[in-house]
Amino acid sequence: MNTRADLLVLVPLLLILGAILTLPHFLRDDNTLIGGDSYYNLRLAENPLSTHDDLSYGGRTSVIHPYALILYSGSFMSGKPLELIGFIIPYLIAILILGLFYLILRNHDFSKLFSSTSTVLLALSPPFFYLANTITDHALVILLILAAYYLHQKHRTTPAIFLIILTAFFGFYQSLIAIMLLSIHGLRTKKYPIFPVILIFIIGLIPYILYGIPAPQPSQLTTRTSIESLLIVLGGVISFSIFAIVLAFFGLRTLWKEKYTHLSLYILIIALFVFTLFNSLGVLYFNIPFIFLTALGLSQLLNTRWTSPILQHIITGILLLGIILSILLYIQSLSISDPTPEVFEAFQALQEREPTMNITIASHPDNGHWITSIGGRKNVIDSAYSFAPNPQERWEDLQILFHTRDFSETQRIIEKYNITYIYIDSDMKNGQVWNAPDEGLLFFLDASTKFKNIYKGNTIEIWSVEL
Amino acid sequence: MNKYIISLIIISVLAAGLQTYYTFSEPTFNQDSSYLHLRQAENIIQNHEALRYDSLSYGGRTFYGSAFYWYFIAGLLWIFGIYALKLIPSLIFLIFPILIYLITYHFLKEEKYAWLAAVSSAWIPIIWKELTNSLDLLLFFIPLAILFFYTYLEADNNQKHLLPLIIMTFLLGIITPYSLIIAVTLLIWHILMYIENFTPESIRGEATFLFVLFTFFFQFYLYRTLITSIGPEIIYQGAPQALLNDYLSNINLFILIGGIGILSIIFGAYGIYTTLKKPNEPFTLVTAFVFTIILLLFVKLIPFIPGMILLSIGMVIMASTGYEQFFRYISLTKFSRFTTPTFIVLIVLIGLTLTLPSVISGYGTRENTPTLSEIELFTFIKENTPKNSIVLTGLNEGNILTYYSERKNLMDSSYIGAPDSNRRYDALNELYTTESNIKAQELVEEYDIDYIYLSPRTQDEHNVDLLPYTQDNPCFTIIKETPEGGKLYEYTC
């Protein structure tokens, strides 16, 4: 690998890809952040060392998030607002990931062309776009993992292991990934890093030691992945293009010609895929080896001799066009994803009516972060289930609230959680909660004088509870 | 020109002639979907684009998918007028048997058996019943599919043979989602070839890859918005669950025999059996096509009628190799001197089991064709009701209503992308059968229905002469009737 020559390729490539990655943000009407997790992490970053969150679940334990600390530090040191730092840091991390990915491939003696193509494919993959455009600590974990692998390639094993150990501070799921990676490495080199594995396991257990075993996530709101959520064409939020999958199969076929030479890679792919099935955010990790396979498949498609070169060119063109179209569709969907301007408008209307901050708003968990981060109010439940108080019970109570026609039950739930407002959006009315316009709570909202509509937009309604 | 070709041309002309007679003996078209295509074509002529958002169908809905067919119909309508559209089924019936003959002869190299298959293909009862006097897309899809299979099997590295294949691939992929059936067929064909240890030409694999990729790519692109909102459920094309449940219950041996023809079934099955024992590229491909249709029918991914039509085509083509194998077998036995009489018996049987039922089925299409008095009633609705009125009709009359009356319907037979088809289907059935005044009024008010049309067709379907809840109910008044017994009710409460 010629460092100078590589830099001449890499730097312009990263600049161009970095610019493309910012598209969803700049296509948004109002330059707001994308996704509930972004707003949640930003809110944590306002007070990163706090171990209590007053708003989420009406008040709950808050585990210290290293990423929130980093955001806070970035804002503090630069003097810039947290929102701006929250926008810049994910992009910086994404660019660093791309750079490391390129260098790792070059260190494996792949050509500049292959490495560049792979880097472009990675940058243009939906999971990577999600990573670059939302505030999620998984981006930092992936960066640490790739940096560790790069250092390992340079025979600097101790710093590499150190970086892997650092990933354990981001959560138990991340520590499991770290243990898996070290185990695969041990399998390959026959040197099993027992001490680092134990250390990672202990670090991963620290929150459980400090705060106890958390209540399980509501079973009906599992983050398990279904096949349709993995496909962008079937509406998956963080998902893969079906054309990339086709190319990845070609890539896998190419690798399989050398059978068990790449055993550790197969194990890595299978393990990460299994992780993905249990947690949809595993897609972000699985994306890295997946893109490698995709690039390999594309290379094989172009370099193999076909019976008909015409068919070869048409097929390759369709695959590339399909990938480009998929990412364009994904960019479009990201750019119009929640929170929309109407969410801000709705909470502004609430603020004008009810300046009191110490109120509780009930809604579907998917809207929980808007209530806390944008509305600045308490919610009953949100999607940060880890170490939350009784999420299953809260979800079941909300189901009663949403679906019962027995007003005494409605009243009981409202009083139990001290609910003063109810936030309803169009997703809730279109199957997420209700299937008919007069189902359950919707009937009471229209018919009862105990509820008053204080905001009605195109897709959002806020109702005050006046028992 | 030999006797087979001459006789085939005569038979094709006869079939086409009879088609023309049936078509022109009615001023209207068979099938509810024909009116959707007609309305779209007229809209294209008037507004230079297909109607994507339709305020009338389902009271307002979006049409997804390719508008290519509508533009094609619009072109014909604009250049040649309505009579060109009426002639389409006849033209298809004219060329179809000739196409079958040419293709089966090309692969079989036996005139007699190709001729038998071609003659059978001119008289398939289910096709006569469903596609006579119709603008159904299947009329175009079937010959295009056969041509595609031919170009696929003839493809090699010679550009002369490759170009038609590439053109057919793009054409089919763009025109209709039925092309997904061909994609699945090609995949199953490769599996069958692999199982039989038969290695096809490598260009077949490349051609299959292209077809599957392009078809899925294009269809996913066309339906992306719908796929995003309803997910994998799209494979059921929006059909109400109750209808899906009925798909399989419609299938029994008598319906298969009556629709496809006993000879095509027996010899088609025999052809499949002999092909699986001793595979060859062309007939294994048709076998794969038959298996695909059966599979799709079984998992309810294709409605019953289109499935039966496509199955009949596959069986007719496979019957050609069935006939060949049968006569080859006879020639080896002591019955070899009865070969010619057997052939004649087969021709007679084709006449009795295929030609006669087809002629009767073709005649019977009048039942689905709106009568002149119905058109008068629909015109009455157009001239005497407010523009935003909603009219309840039978499921297979919704598009007819929107075409003639220009009023909203509760639902019609174009399910894909339609809002709430399950609940509407239940409501439709309830409104034609319930005896409860309260239930009926609840549903009428839920869907803002202003008028209900109870046609003779709907009366037969739901086994009612009049709507039970309208008796002694001042909210429902009959404002028009047809001589055949159709009734138009107005809801006045």
Coordinates of all heavy atoms in Angstrom, one line a residue, chain A residues 55-120:
Chain A
L55 N -38.0 13.4 33.0 CA -39.1 13.4 32.0 C -39.5 12.0 31.5 O -40.7 11.7 31.4 CB -38.7 14.3 30.8 CG -38.3 15.8 31.2 CD1 -38.0 16.5 29.9 CD2 -39.4 16.4 31.9
S56 N -38.5 11.3 31.1 CA -38.8 9.9 30.5 C -39.5 9.0 31.6 O -39.0 9.0 32.7 CB -37.5 9.3 30.0 OG -37.7 8.0 29.5
Y57 N -40.6 8.5 31.2 CA -41.4 7.6 32.1 C -41.8 8.4 33.3 O -42.0 7.8 34.4 CB -40.6 6.3 32.5 CG -40.4 5.3 31.3 CD1 -39.6 5.6 30.3 CD2 -41.1 4.1 31.3 CE1 -39.5 4.7 29.2 CE2 -41.0 3.2 30.3 CZ -40.2 3.5 29.2 OH -40.1 2.6 28.2
G58 N -41.9 9.6 33.2 CA -42.3 10.5 34.4 C -41.2 10.5 35.4 O -41.4 11.0 36.5
G59 N -40.0 10.0 35.1 CA -38.9 10.0 36.1 C -38.3 8.6 36.1 O -39.1 7.6 36.4
R60 N -37.0 8.4 35.8 CA -36.5 7.1 35.8 C -35.0 7.2 35.9 O -34.4 8.3 35.8 CB -36.8 6.4 34.5 CG -36.8 7.1 33.2 CD -35.6 7.1 32.3 NE -35.1 5.8 31.9 CZ -35.3 5.2 30.8 NH1 -36.1 5.7 29.9 NH2 -34.7 4.0 30.5
T61 N -34.4 6.0 36.2 CA -32.9 5.9 36.2 C -32.3 6.2 34.8 O -32.9 5.7 33.8 CB -32.5 4.5 36.6 OG1 -33.1 4.2 37.9 CG2 -31.0 4.4 36.7
S62 N -31.2 6.9 34.8 CA -30.6 7.2 33.6 C -29.1 6.7 33.7 O -28.4 7.2 34.5 CB -30.6 8.7 33.3 OG -29.9 9.0 32.1
V63 N -28.8 5.7 32.8 CA -27.4 5.2 32.8 C -26.6 6.3 32.1 O -27.0 6.8 31.1 CB -27.4 3.9 32.1 CG1 -26.0 3.4 32.0 CG2 -28.3 2.9 32.8
I64 N -25.4 6.5 32.6 CA -24.5 7.5 31.9 C -24.1 6.9 30.6 O -23.6 5.8 30.4 CB -23.2 7.7 32.8 CG1 -23.6 8.4 34.1 CG2 -22.2 8.6 32.0 CD1 -22.5 8.5 35.1
H65 N -24.3 7.8 29.6 CA -24.0 7.4 28.2 C -22.7 8.1 27.8 O -22.6 9.3 27.8 CB -25.1 7.9 27.2 CG -26.3 7.1 27.3 ND1 -27.2 7.1 28.4 CD2 -26.9 6.2 26.4 CE1 -28.2 6.3 28.2 NE2 -28.0 5.7 27.0
P66 N -21.7 7.3 27.4 CA -20.4 7.9 27.0 C -20.6 8.9 25.8 O -19.9 9.9 25.7 CB -19.5 6.7 26.6 CG -20.2 5.6 27.3 CD -21.6 5.9 27.4
Y67 N -21.5 8.5 24.9 CA -21.7 9.4 23.7 C -22.2 10.7 24.1 O -21.9 11.8 23.5 CB -22.6 8.7 22.7 CG -22.5 9.2 21.3 CD1 -21.4 9.5 20.7 CD2 -23.7 9.4 20.6 CE1 -21.3 10.0 19.4 CE2 -23.7 9.9 19.3 CZ -22.5 10.2 18.7 OH -22.5 10.7 17.4
A68 N -23.1 10.7 25.1 CA -23.7 12.0 25.5 C -22.6 12.9 26.1 O -22.5 14.1 26.0 CB -24.8 11.8 26.6
L69 N -21.6 12.2 26.8 CA -20.5 12.9 27.4 C -19.6 13.5 26.3 O -19.2 14.7 26.4 CB -19.6 11.9 28.2 CG -19.8 11.8 29.7 CD1 -19.0 10.6 30.2 CD2 -19.4 13.1 30.4
I70 N -19.4 12.8 25.2 CA -18.6 13.3 24.1 C -19.3 14.5 23.5 O -18.7 15.5 23.2 CB -18.4 12.1 23.1 CG1 -17.4 11.1 23.7 CG2 -17.8 12.7 21.8 CD1 -17.3 9.8 22.9
L71 N -20.6 14.4 23.3 CA -21.3 15.5 22.7 C -21.2 16.8 23.6 O -21.0 17.9 23.1 CB -22.8 15.1 22.5 CG -23.1 14.1 21.4 CD1 -24.6 13.7 21.5 CD2 -22.8 14.6 20.0
Y72 N -21.4 16.5 24.8 CA -21.4 17.7 25.8 C -20.0 18.3 25.8 O -19.8 19.5 25.7 CB -21.7 17.2 27.2 CG -21.6 18.2 28.2 CD1 -22.6 19.1 28.5 CD2 -20.4 18.3 29.0 CE1 -22.5 20.1 29.4 CE2 -20.3 19.3 30.0 CZ -21.3 20.2 30.2 OH -21.2 21.2 31.1
S73 N -19.0 17.4 25.8 CA -17.6 17.9 25.8 C -17.3 18.7 24.5 O -16.6 19.7 24.5 CB -16.6 16.7 25.9 OG -16.9 15.9 26.9
G74 N -17.8 18.1 23.4 CA -17.6 18.8 22.1 C -18.2 20.2 22.1 O -17.6 21.2 21.7
S75 N -19.4 20.3 22.7 CA -20.1 21.6 22.8 C -19.4 22.5 23.7 O -19.2 23.7 23.4 CB -21.5 21.4 23.2 OG -22.2 22.6 23.5
F76 N -18.9 22.0 24.8 CA -18.3 22.8 25.9 C -16.9 23.4 25.3 O -16.6 24.5 25.5 CB -18.0 21.9 27.1 CG -17.4 22.6 28.2 CD1 -18.1 23.5 29.0 CD2 -16.0 22.5 28.5 CE1 -17.5 24.2 30.1 CE2 -15.4 23.1 29.6 CZ -16.2 24.0 30.3
M77 N -16.2 22.5 24.7 CA -14.8 22.9 24.2 C -14.9 23.8 23.0 O -14.1 24.7 22.9 CB -14.0 21.6 23.9 CG -13.6 20.9 25.2 SD -12.3 19.6 24.9 CE -13.1 18.5 23.8
S78 N -15.9 23.6 22.2 CA -15.9 24.5 21.0 C -16.7 25.7 21.2 O -16.7 26.7 20.4 CB -16.5 23.7 19.8 OG -17.9 23.3 20.1
G79 N -17.5 25.7 22.3 CA -18.4 26.8 22.5 C -19.6 26.9 21.6 O -20.3 27.9 21.5
K80 N -19.8 25.8 20.8 CA -20.9 25.8 19.9 C -22.1 25.2 20.5 O -22.0 24.4 21.4 CB -20.5 25.0 18.6 CG -19.3 25.6 17.9 CD -19.7 26.9 17.2 CE -18.5 27.5 16.5 NZ -18.6 28.9 16.3
P81 N -23.3 25.5 20.0 CA -24.5 24.9 20.6 C -24.5 23.3 20.4 O -24.0 22.8 19.5 CB -25.7 25.5 19.8 CG -25.1 26.6 19.0 CD -23.7 26.4 18.9
L82 N -25.2 22.7 21.3 CA -25.3 21.2 21.3 C -25.9 20.7 20.0 O -25.5 19.7 19.5 CB -26.1 20.8 22.5 CG -25.8 19.4 23.1 CD1 -24.3 19.2 23.4 CD2 -26.6 19.3 24.4
E83 N -26.9 21.4 19.5 CA -27.6 21.0 18.3 C -26.6 20.9 17.1 O -26.6 20.0 16.3 CB -28.8 21.9 17.9 CG -30.0 21.8 18.8 CD -29.8 22.6 20.1 OE1 -28.8 23.3 20.2 OE2 -30.7 22.5 21.0
L84 N -25.7 21.9 17.1 CA -24.8 21.9 16.0 C -23.7 20.8 16.1 O -23.4 20.1 15.2 CB -24.1 23.3 16.0 CG -23.1 23.5 14.8 CD1 -23.8 23.5 13.5 CD2 -22.3 24.9 15.0
I85 N -23.3 20.6 17.4 CA -22.3 19.5 17.6 C -23.0 18.2 17.3 O -22.4 17.3 16.8 CB -21.9 19.6 19.1 CG1 -21.1 20.9 19.4 CG2 -21.0 18.4 19.4 CD1 -19.9 21.1 18.5
G86 N -24.3 18.1 17.7 CA -25.0 16.8 17.4 C -25.2 16.6 15.9 O -25.4 15.5 15.5
F87 N -25.1 17.6 15.1 CA -25.2 17.5 13.7 C -23.8 17.1 13.1 O -23.7 16.3 12.3 CB -25.7 18.8 13.1 CG -25.5 18.9 11.6 CD1 -26.2 18.1 10.7 CD2 -24.6 19.8 11.1 CE1 -26.0 18.2 9.4 CE2 -24.4 19.9 9.7 CZ -25.1 19.1 8.9
I88 N -22.7 17.8 13.6 CA -21.4 17.6 13.1 C -20.7 16.3 13.4 O -20.2 15.6 12.6 CB -20.5 18.8 13.5 CG1 -21.0 20.1 12.9 CG2 -19.0 18.5 13.2 CD1 -20.3 21.3 13.4
I89 N -20.8 15.9 14.7 CA -20.1 14.8 15.2 C -20.5 13.5 14.4 O -19.6 12.7 14.0 CB -20.2 14.6 16.7 CG1 -19.3 15.6 17.4 CG2 -19.8 13.2 17.2 CD1 -19.2 15.6 18.9
P90 N -21.8 13.2 14.2 CA -22.1 12.0 13.4 C -21.4 12.0 12.1 O -21.0 10.9 11.6 CB -23.6 12.0 13.3 CG -24.0 12.8 14.5 CD -23.0 13.8 14.7
Y91 N -21.4 13.1 11.4 CA -20.8 13.2 10.1 C -19.3 12.9 10.2 O -18.7 12.2 9.3 CB -21.0 14.5 9.4 CG -22.4 14.7 8.9 CD1 -23.3 15.6 9.4 CD2 -22.9 13.8 7.9 CE1 -24.5 15.7 8.9 CE2 -24.1 13.9 7.4 CZ -25.0 14.9 7.9 OH -26.3 15.0 7.4
L92 N -18.6 13.5 11.2 CA -17.2 13.3 11.3 C -16.9 11.8 11.6 O -16.0 11.3 11.0 CB -16.7 14.1 12.5 CG -16.5 15.6 12.3 CD1 -16.1 16.3 13.5 CD2 -15.5 15.9 11.1
I93 N -17.7 11.2 12.4 CA -17.5 9.8 12.7 C -17.7 9.0 11.5 O -17.0 8.1 11.2 CB -18.5 9.3 13.8 CG1 -18.1 10.0 15.1 CG2 -18.5 7.8 14.0 CD1 -19.1 9.7 16.3
A94 N -18.8 9.3 10.7 CA -19.1 8.6 9.5 C -17.9 8.7 8.5 O -17.5 7.7 7.9 CB -20.3 9.1 8.8
I95 N -17.3 9.9 8.4 CA -16.2 10.1 7.4 C -15.0 9.3 7.9 O -14.3 8.6 7.1 CB -15.9 11.6 7.3 CG1 -17.0 12.2 6.5 CG2 -14.5 11.8 6.6 CD1 -17.0 13.7 6.4
L96 N -14.8 9.3 9.2 CA -13.6 8.5 9.8 C -13.9 7.0 9.5 O -12.9 6.3 9.2 CB -13.5 8.7 11.3 CG -12.9 10.1 11.6 CD1 -13.0 10.3 13.1 CD2 -11.5 10.2 11.2
I97 N -15.1 6.5 9.6 CA -15.4 5.1 9.4 C -15.1 4.8 7.9 O -14.5 3.8 7.6 CB -16.9 4.8 9.7 CG1 -17.1 4.8 11.2 CG2 -17.3 3.4 9.1 CD1 -18.6 4.7 11.6
L98 N -15.5 5.7 7.0 CA -15.3 5.4 5.6 C -13.8 5.3 5.3 O -13.3 4.5 4.6 CB -15.9 6.5 4.8 CG -17.4 6.6 4.7 CD1 -17.9 7.8 4.0 CD2 -18.0 5.3 4.0
G99 N -13.0 6.3 5.9 CA -11.6 6.3 5.7 C -10.9 5.0 6.3 O -10.1 4.4 5.6
L100 N -11.3 4.6 7.4 CA -10.8 3.4 8.0 C -11.1 2.1 7.2 O -10.3 1.3 7.0 CB -11.3 3.2 9.4 CG -10.6 4.0 10.5 CD1 -11.4 3.9 11.8 CD2 -9.2 3.5 10.7
F101 N -12.4 2.1 6.7 CA -12.8 1.0 5.9 C -11.9 0.9 4.6 O -11.5 -0.2 4.3 CB -14.3 1.2 5.5 CG -14.9 0.1 4.8 CD1 -15.2 -1.1 5.4 CD2 -15.3 0.2 3.4 CE1 -15.8 -2.1 4.8 CE2 -16.0 -0.8 2.8 CZ -16.2 -2.0 3.4
Y102 N -11.7 2.0 4.0 CA -10.8 2.0 2.8 C -9.4 1.5 3.1 O -8.9 0.6 2.5 CB -10.7 3.4 2.3 CG -9.8 3.6 1.1 CD1 -10.2 3.4 -0.2 CD2 -8.4 3.9 1.3 CE1 -9.3 3.6 -1.3 CE2 -7.5 4.0 0.2 CZ -8.0 3.9 -1.1 OH -7.1 4.0 -2.1
L103 N -8.8 2.0 4.2 CA -7.5 1.6 4.6 C -7.4 0.2 5.0 O -6.4 -0.5 4.7 CB -7.0 2.5 5.7 CG -6.8 4.0 5.4 CD1 -6.5 4.9 6.6 CD2 -5.6 4.2 4.4
I104 N -8.4 -0.3 5.7 CA -8.4 -1.7 6.1 C -8.4 -2.6 4.8 O -7.7 -3.6 4.7 CB -9.6 -2.0 6.9 CG1 -9.5 -1.4 8.3 CG2 -9.9 -3.5 7.0 CD1 -10.7 -1.4 9.2
L105 N -9.2 -2.3 3.8 CA -9.2 -3.1 2.6 C -7.9 -3.0 1.9 O -7.4 -4.0 1.4 CB -10.4 -2.6 1.7 CG -11.8 -2.9 2.1 CD1 -12.8 -2.2 1.2 CD2 -12.1 -4.4 2.2
R106 N -7.3 -1.8 1.9 CA -6.0 -1.7 1.2 C -4.9 -2.5 1.9 O -4.1 -3.1 1.3 CB -5.6 -0.2 1.2 CG -6.4 0.6 0.2 CD -6.1 0.3 -1.3 NE -4.8 0.8 -1.7 CZ -3.9 0.1 -2.4 NH1 -4.2 -1.1 -2.8 NH2 -2.8 0.7 -2.8
N107 N -5.0 -2.6 3.2 CA -4.1 -3.4 4.0 C -4.3 -4.9 3.7 O -3.3 -5.6 4.0 CB -4.3 -3.1 5.5 CG -3.6 -1.8 5.9 OD1 -2.7 -1.3 5.2 ND2 -4.0 -1.3 7.0
H108 N -5.5 -5.2 3.3 CA -5.7 -6.6 2.9 C -5.3 -6.9 1.4 O -5.7 -7.9 0.8 CB -7.2 -7.0 3.1 CG -7.5 -7.5 4.4 ND1 -7.0 -8.6 5.0 CD2 -8.3 -6.9 5.4 CE1 -7.5 -8.8 6.2 NE2 -8.2 -7.7 6.5
D109 N -4.6 -5.9 0.8 CA -4.1 -6.0 -0.6 C -5.2 -6.0 -1.6 O -5.0 -6.5 -2.7 CB -3.2 -7.3 -0.8 CG -2.0 -7.2 0.1 OD1 -1.4 -6.1 0.2 OD2 -1.5 -8.2 0.6
F110 N -6.3 -5.4 -1.3 CA -7.3 -5.2 -2.3 C -6.9 -3.9 -3.1 O -6.2 -3.0 -2.6 CB -8.7 -4.9 -1.8 CG -9.4 -6.2 -1.2 CD1 -9.4 -6.4 0.1 CD2 -9.9 -7.1 -2.1 CE1 -10.0 -7.6 0.6 CE2 -10.5 -8.3 -1.6 CZ -10.5 -8.5 -0.3
S111 N -7.2 -3.9 -4.4 CA -6.8 -2.8 -5.2 C -7.4 -1.5 -4.8 O -8.4 -1.5 -4.1 CB -7.2 -3.1 -6.7 OG -8.6 -3.0 -6.8
K112 N -6.8 -0.4 -5.3 CA -7.4 1.0 -5.0 C -8.8 1.1 -5.5 O -9.7 1.6 -4.9 CB -6.5 2.0 -5.6 CG -5.3 2.4 -4.8 CD -4.9 3.9 -5.0 CE -4.1 4.0 -6.3 NZ -2.7 3.3 -6.2
L113 N -9.0 0.5 -6.7 CA -10.3 0.5 -7.3 C -11.4 -0.2 -6.5 O -12.5 0.3 -6.2 CB -10.3 0.0 -8.8 CG -11.6 -0.1 -9.5 CD1 -12.1 1.4 -9.7 CD2 -11.4 -0.8 -10.9
F114 N -11.0 -1.4 -6.1 CA -12.0 -2.2 -5.3 C -12.2 -1.5 -4.0 O -13.4 -1.4 -3.5 CB -11.4 -3.6 -5.0 CG -12.3 -4.4 -4.2 CD1 -13.4 -5.1 -4.7 CD2 -12.1 -4.5 -2.8 CE1 -14.2 -5.9 -3.9 CE2 -12.9 -5.3 -2.0 CZ -14.0 -6.0 -2.6
S115 N -11.2 -1.0 -3.3 CA -11.4 -0.3 -2.0 C -12.2 0.9 -2.1 O -13.1 1.2 -1.3 CB -10.0 0.0 -1.4 OG -9.2 -1.1 -1.4
S116 N -12.0 1.7 -3.2 CA -12.8 2.9 -3.4 C -14.2 2.6 -3.7 O -15.1 3.2 -3.1 CB -12.2 3.7 -4.6 OG -10.9 3.9 -4.5
T117 N -14.4 1.5 -4.5 CA -15.8 1.1 -4.8 C -16.5 0.7 -3.6 O -17.7 1.0 -3.3 CB -15.8 0.0 -5.9 OG1 -15.0 0.4 -7.0 CG2 -17.2 -0.3 -6.4
S118 N -15.8 -0.1 -2.8 CA -16.4 -0.6 -1.5 C -16.8 0.6 -0.6 O -17.8 0.6 0.0 CB -15.5 -1.5 -0.8 OG -15.0 -2.5 -1.6
T119 N -15.9 1.5 -0.6 CA -16.1 2.7 0.3 C -17.3 3.5 -0.2 O -18.2 3.9 0.6 CB -14.9 3.6 0.3 OG1 -13.7 2.8 0.7 CG2 -15.0 4.7 1.3
V120 N -17.4 3.6 -1.5 CA -18.6 4.3 -2.1 C -19.9 3.6 -1.7 O -20.9 4.1 -1.3 CB -18.4 4.5 -3.6 CG1 -19.7 5.0 -4.2 CG2 -17.3 5.5 -3.9

